[in-house]
Amino acid sequence: MSILEQIKKANDIKKVRKRDYDVLATEIREFLIDRVSTSGGHLASNLGAVELTIALHLAMDFPKDKLIFDVGHQSYTHKLLTGRKDDFDNLRAYGGMSGFPKREESDCDAFDTGHSSTSISAAMGYAVARDLRGGHEQIAAVIGDGSLTGGMAYEAINSLAQLKTGCVIVLNDNEMSIEKNVGGLSKYLTSLRVGETYNDLKSGVEKSLLSTRTGSKLAHTLKRSKDTIKQLFVPGMFFEELGITYVGPIDGHDIHIMVQTFQKAFRLNKPIIIHVKTKKGYGYPLAERHPDYFHGVAPFDKQTGKLLCEKKTSSYTDIFARHMVTLGERYDNMTAITAAMSVGTGLNRFAKAFPNRFFDVGIAEQHAVTFAAGQAAAGMIPVVAIYSSFLQRAYDQILHDVCLQGLHVIFAIDRAGLVGQDGETHQGIYDGSYLTHMPGMTVMAPKNRYELLAMMDYAMTLDGPVAIRYPRGDAYKGYQSIQTPIVKDKSEVLMFGSRVAIFACGNMVEEGEKLVSMLKDKQIFPTFVNVRFLSSVDYELLHETAKSCSVIVTMEENISVGGYGERIDKVIMEDVQLRKLNLVHIDASIKDGKVSHGTPGELRKLLSLDADTVFHKIMTNIKES
């Protein structure tokens, strides 16, 4: 029996002999590579944190002690060591185990995470609650160097230094986040990586000074104050000056050293930052060479690394990326901004073509938006490309710094709608609501790949803030022959009919097409509308449609509250003429604001957004009428 198979529950790792720690690490890596190659998931980040997680489990007692992973995409080893090995058969599948920590999944998961830079704040909350209760549990947070580019982490560090409560912060330094780290903080950590540890440096400096008569006198003076020598020579003083003990860098793949360090740190019962150096993708050569490719990967061949299902068509991201270069050639005052996702948003193409007009600000969405606002105020046209689930972190900046000033900032919102297997923290189902109530914001959603290009062109001609939301995955090709010019606040009619009117938002046009086909089979020929503008209702078209259609259907991959369907409801209720018609409105939107992991198809079915479910609702209403 392998060592990994002997771990059935939390703390079983403490039964493993010290000489077998490295064997266990190897077995875990082999297991993760095997399972992720089948199911897909976050691989490189997990491979890099195997020994680190083992060491923390050896130094902590679960579930009494609390371990919080920043982002959480590196928590697979933690799940294995807490008895969830068999659950990996359904990793990220609907109804199966999440790819992130989930409190409802295990009492060993202290905090639900999915976005970056939150772990220190959460760990502090746990530590303060422990102190107030008079408890004795150990609290630790694991945060990557990429997450330290997020300002929230520094707000927490500043507060931690003030409270001085016992909390261990493990800085998992692999020089990566989703992509290669950028900015001053990355350079600062580099200086720590290449420097000596404090004790070695102190010894070497003293030896050099003692070799001369003058130096000897200086050495004795310095020896009376080790803080002085640290201030002179150790970059870690950034943390030390805040009152937080800094330890490291130490080898993040040496279990024995880390266990000793963690145990001593917990005994000190004060704020400590332990700087651990790891390698993303460690132990799997393909992932070590291409950590960004294996960050979040679909099922792949373990020998070659090639995806088992190579995509056969361009994604919306591909379409956006190529057209950004075209627009960059057309507008010399256009810039592109992203937050540590240049490859994910496709802006790496723009960066290569126009390096002086491309800005990756790191995991700092708030800064990205206000940075764009400043550029817009100065006459530039910035395009901010960020995933939907991450853009919400900059809500205040969008409202306060962009919309209230009416600045021409274009938001390219990738991964809008249901993104699938990453689960609740990554679903892009909220931006359609929170953006559309902001003053002056124009929100659009393309029906297909061709309309995305047209909307990008149109967005460049506007004066105020504008957002274009598009989904993850292959770009829809349907209705290519219907490409009417984009007119402010006007929807596009794809088909005129009677009895039923379908208003589909963005990528739901594809699902709407299936619905139209099903209705035609029943000799019902509906009016089919591509909404285009989510931030407004085409009143004229709605009135015209209501003359011949008694059932109005709205379809959107967005929460119901604040969504397009709610806008239609409001118009029908407040408009005297429409209210008299006794229209039936079927609102196919997301009623529950929390959506679990699963494939987009499974989730549409679960949420009653699929064509089949909507069809049955329509037929029920037609029969009743």
Side-chain angles (χ1 to χ4, degrees), residues 184-216:
L185 198 279
S186 177
K187 294 179 181 177
Y188 171 75
L189 290 174
T190 298
S191 72
L192 294 181
R193 296 180 195 111
V194 300
E196 301 286 343
T197 61
Y198 166 65
N199 288 327
D200 290 344
L201 179 59
K202 180 175 181 290
S203 175
V205 171
E206 288 179 349
K207 184 176 180 180
S208 298
L209 291 174
L210 289 170
S211 65
T212 66
R213 185 173 179 180
T214 304
S216 177

Side-chain angles (χ1 to χ4, degrees), residues 140-361:
V142 176
I143 183 169
D145 50 330
S147 291
L148 275 186
T149 59
M152 186 176 173
Y154 292 95
E155 295 174 16
I157 288 173
N158 181 60
S159 182
L160 180 62
Q162 181 184 20
L163 292 174
K164 300 189 184 304
T165 186
C167 188
V168 173
I169 310 301
V170 181
L171 171 54
N172 179 22
D173 178 8
N174 58 27
E175 304 182 56
M176 294 284 292
S177 51
I178 297 175
E179 301 166 14
K180 191 73 174 177
N181 286 331
V182 297
L185 198 279
S186 177
K187 294 179 181 177
Y188 171 75
L189 290 174
T190 298
S191 72
L192 294 181
R193 296 180 195 111
V194 300
E196 301 286 343
T197 61
Y198 166 65
N199 288 327
D200 290 344
L201 179 59
K202 180 175 181 290
S203 175
V205 171
E206 288 179 349
K207 184 176 180 180
S208 298
L209 291 174
L210 289 170
S211 65
T212 66
R213 185 173 179 180
T214 304
S216 177
K217 186 174 181 180
L218 178 58
H220 287 298
T221 301
L222 290 176
K223 285 182 72 172
R224 288 195 296 269
S225 176
K226 66 178 182 180
D227 288 339
T228 303
I229 202 167
K230 286 168 77 174
Q231 290 171 355
L232 286 171
F233 299 107
V234 180
M237 282 306 296
F238 171 81
F239 302 111
E240 295 273 358
E241 288 290 349
L242 289 172
I244 301 176
T245 300
Y246 168 86
V247 177
I250 62 175
D251 186 351
H253 298 296
D254 189 322
I255 298 173
H256 302 281
I257 289 178
M258 285 190 290
V259 171
Q260 294 173 14
T261 304
F262 295 151
Q263 289 174 337
K264 291 177 182 178
F266 285 125
R267 285 197 294 269
L268 289 176
N269 194 32
K270 64 178 183 178
I272 296 176
I273 289 182
I274 301 174
H275 183 182
V276 173
K277 288 173 58 180
T278 63
K279 186 175 182 61
K280 202 167 186 179
Y282 188 76
Y284 182 41
L286 289 173
E288 288 186 30
R289 290 196 296 271
H290 308 286
D292 51 346
Y293 176 86
F294 286 97
H295 172 75
V297 66
F300 63 95
D301 181 277
K302 291 187 291 184
Q303 303 302 317
T304 65
K306 291 184 178 180
L307 300 182
L308 296 180
C309 295
E310 294 284 355
K311 66 177 185 177
K312 299 177 181 179
T313 185
S314 295
S315 67
Y316 281 100
T317 302
D318 295 330
I319 303 296
F320 165 77
R322 288 195 290 267
H323 201 54
M324 278 294 291
V325 176
T326 300
L327 292 175
E329 294 169 347
R330 192 181 304 166
Y331 298 90
D332 58 10
N333 65 333
M334 173 187 171
T335 63
I337 302 169
T338 192
M341 51 194 87
S342 62
V343 175
T345 61
L347 284 184
N348 55 320
R349 289 175 179 263
F350 188 92
K352 186 176 181 180
F354 309 102
N356 293 333
R357 289 192 272 150
F358 169 75
F359 307 93
D360 186 342
V361 300

